Amino acid sequence: MRAGEHLRVTGGALKQWFVAQSYDALAVAALWLAGLMILRVPWAVLWAVLGGVLQFVPNIGPALTLIGPAVVLGVQGLLGGDWMRLVYLLIVYAVIVAIDGFLLQPAIMKRTAKVPVWASIVTPIVFGLLMGFWGVLLSAPLLAVVYAYRRRAEDKRIVDQRLP
């Protein structure tokens, strides 16, 4: 395989991964917006947009998303004594993280980047254990590239079988 073909396969896989990640970020932002609007959190649109943007940062991005609304509701809890909204915010956060990690992201990666659901769940865990933060950071795009090369090899094998 020539260098140009490697660049085309790798670039296409990374583009598909970025598209999948963007869809995931939009879905998470919409979930955050719905949850924050139900809880009547001030600046809900800002926190939802920030939640979508921070979705691109693995592991710590979703946790950073929680800080803004938690501080706002914490201050309101101190001033008004209404701590239950902060508890509800933590529940909304847990639900969104679970839905995203176990349903949305694997399904979107399968549909867009053609990565199996099991691989998109297992690989970040394994890479995280082996290489720490960098393993988690790089696992999704590397997985998309590996499966792009795998698809290319299967396509080439099928074409070779058809030739006399």
Side-chain angles (χ1 to χ4, degrees):
M1 196 179 337
R2 293 197 162 134
E5 196 170 346
H6 279 294
L7 288 174
R8 193 171 24 264
V9 171
T10 303
L14 292 176
K15 177 185 172 195
Q16 289 174 334
W17 168 79
F18 184 76
V19 168
Q21 193 65 27
S22 298
Y23 286 151
D24 182 54
L26 284 172
V28 168
L31 289 172
W32 262 116
L33 183 60
L36 295 174
M37 295 292 273
I38 290 170
L39 293 175
R40 296 181 329 273
V41 176
W43 307 319
V45 175
L46 170 71
W47 303 128
V49 169
L50 190 60
V53 170
L54 287 173
Q55 199 61 25
F56 284 92
V57 181
N59 289 349
I60 61 171
L64 293 175
T65 300
L66 181 63
I67 293 173
V71 167
V72 168
L73 291 181
V75 168
Q76 285 182 349
L78 280 173
L79 298 176
D82 184 17
W83 288 99
M84 283 311 293
R85 286 177 52 207
L86 183 58
V87 172
Y88 294 144
L89 176 71
L90 295 175
I91 293 169
V92 166
Y93 170 76
V95 168
I96 290 173
V97 167
I99 288 172
D100 181 53
F102 293 116
L103 297 175
L104 282 177
Q105 200 166 38
I108 291 171
M109 283 295 284
K110 180 180 181 193
R111 184 178 193 102
T112 307
K114 310 293 189 260
V115 174
V117 172
W118 69 268
S120 62
I121 292 173
V122 172
T123 304
I125 296 169
V126 172
F127 274 40
L129 291 173
L130 294 175
M131 297 181 285
F133 171 77
W134 291 107
V136 174
L137 180 69
L138 297 175
S139 66
L142 284 176
L143 192 61
V145 170
V146 165
Y147 272 90
Y149 275 99
R150 186 172 179 219
R151 277 192 316 278
R152 188 201 174 280
E154 288 174 4
D155 292 346
K156 185 172 175 12
R157 183 180 47 82
I158 290 170
V159 168
D160 288 346
Q161 286 177 350
R162 289 183 185 163
L163 296 175

